[in-house]
Amino acid sequence: MVDVIWAERKSPVLLPSSLSCLAQIPSINLTAGCAHGCIYCYARGYSSFPGENKVVIYKNTLDKLRSELLRKRNKPRAVYFSPSSDIFQPIPEMLELSHLVLAFLLSNDIGVAFLTKGRIPDKTLSLLISHADKVRAQIGIITHSDYIRSIFEPNAASIDGRLEQMAKMVAGSIATESRVIPILPGITDTPDSINALFQAIASAGVKRAAISTLFLRPAIMESLRRYTSNKDLVDNLLDYYRDVRRLPVHAEHSSVRPLPRAKREEIYSRFKRIAKNYAIDLSICGCLNLDIGGNCNITGEWPAQDIQLRMFDQKG
Ligand code: SF4
């Protein structure tokens, strides 16, 4: 399915983010590229993207992380996984690495926040539940329909699998939220679709969700056109972006096409109205919607404290 490439990591493991929503705690990417292959994935436009169906796993991550933390005077309260990949991709070696890194951090009282569309292995779920107060989970789920999921997120976990996982995390006292990003206009923003999704999320016991529409970038547009298994559906989606103003993203030498503000506000108010019926507290991603504002709580809340790293064994 994907080409797995093992590589030595040269740059630091813990990285700060320029995004204000990720500024509180450092981030870790365990891989470059992501086996989930979402065709709307913004990371396709990054210089670190290794190419279609390729995943680079950094084999020295745990050793490097251990020595980086030992050198730090103040340990981070928590770390966030992962700004441009997913911590639970369907690659056994990668899932094992994820487990070891999580076990190492949690056993040293460092919290973990993650956003995933993957299936969390049972032993890792048990590990997370056994440190529930140190875990903040966001589950990406943009639709209740596994058919739509299979078109836009071909290798990610099934919708039922994600819902089941959310319910287990809530039952295990993990702070669990859902992330309905990106909303695909004309596909996932109809009242029926929103109702079905929020009903499913509420049934899993999740009470908070973050939303944003798709912000179209050149790499995403190309991917949507090239890798879709339903051309009509994607053509219909791209029609919404046909005449919108393109905004430059200077830092990335790229551009982005947002839906007009009035259209986004109309969509968000529809989501908010329906979310209320299911007692789901909704927030808008303000990093994407700079003109509207909002806080999607992507890393969760962490109390300020200095953490001293315990002595730990070499297996982490
Ligand atoms: S799970 Fe996230 S990082 Fe992975 S392909 Fe999908 S959107 Fe991209």
Side-chain angles (χ1 to χ4, degrees), residues 34-38 40-43 83-86 89 116-117 153 156:
C34 177
H36 288 150
C38 304
Y40 56 68
C41 179
Y42 61 87
S84 52
S85 62
D86 193 303
Q89 299 169 44
T116 186
K117 293 176 184 139
E153 303 166 349

Side-chain angles (χ1 to χ4, degrees), residues 269-289:
S269 64
R270 190 180 316 140
F271 269 79
K272 283 193 169 167
R273 203 172 54 246
I274 298 174
K276 236 184 205 172
N277 298 337
Y278 298 96
I280 291 176
D281 185 17
L282 216 57
S283 55
I284 295 169
C285 173
C287 281
L288 289 170
N289 296 272

Side-chain angles (χ1 to χ4, degrees), residues 61-128:
T61 295
L62 191 54
D63 288 344
K64 234 170 158 342
L65 176 62
R66 190 180 280 121
S67 57
E68 271 175 38
L69 286 171
L70 276 174
R71 283 198 308 273
K72 281 189 189 295
R73 182 185 289 263
N74 294 316
K75 309 307 169 196
R77 290 166 284 167
V79 299
Y80 173 74
F81 298 83
S82 307
S84 52
S85 62
D86 193 303
I87 184 173
F88 299 114
Q89 299 169 44
I91 302 170
E93 301 90 330
M94 196 259 158
L95 291 169
E96 190 55 31
L97 176 63
S98 302
H99 185 91
L100 292 174
V101 171
L102 288 170
F104 169 71
L105 291 169
L106 291 167
S107 67
N108 284 287
D109 285 338
I110 297 174
V112 296
F114 61 83
L115 161 62
T116 186
K117 293 176 184 139
R119 188 189 165 276
I120 305 174
D122 290 346
K123 76 168 180 178
T124 307
L125 194 53
S126 300
L127 169 77
L128 295 170

Side-chain angles (χ1 to χ4, degrees), residues 18 30 52 60 73 99 105 117 128 132 160 167 192 210 215 222 224 238 255 268 283 286 296:
S18 55
L30 295 178
E52 206 56 40
N60 56 338
R73 182 185 289 263
H99 185 91
L105 291 169
K117 293 176 184 139
L128 295 170
D160 282 353
D192 284 352
F215 280 63
E222 191 194 328
L224 287 168
L238 293 178
S255 63
Y268 298 153
S283 55
C296 64

Side-chain angles (χ1 to χ4, degrees), residues 206-261:
V206 170
K207 296 184 184 332
R208 285 182 77 168
I211 55 171
S212 175
T213 54
L214 174 69
F215 280 63
L216 200 57
R217 290 171 179 243
I220 299 176
M221 186 137 60
E222 191 194 328
S223 155
L224 287 168
R225 288 206 170 110
R226 284 182 70 178
Y227 301 114
T228 180
S229 56
N230 185 326
K231 193 172 173 314
D232 289 346
L233 201 68
V234 165
D235 283 350
N236 180 44
L237 169 66
L238 293 178
D239 268 351
Y240 282 82
Y241 293 85
R242 198 168 298 281
D243 298 318
V244 302
R245 226 176 100 224
R246 199 182 289 209
L247 302 175
V249 183
H250 297 297
E252 297 174 19
H253 306 291
S254 184
S255 63
V256 63
R257 292 186 203 205
L259 289 178
R261 176 174 173 164

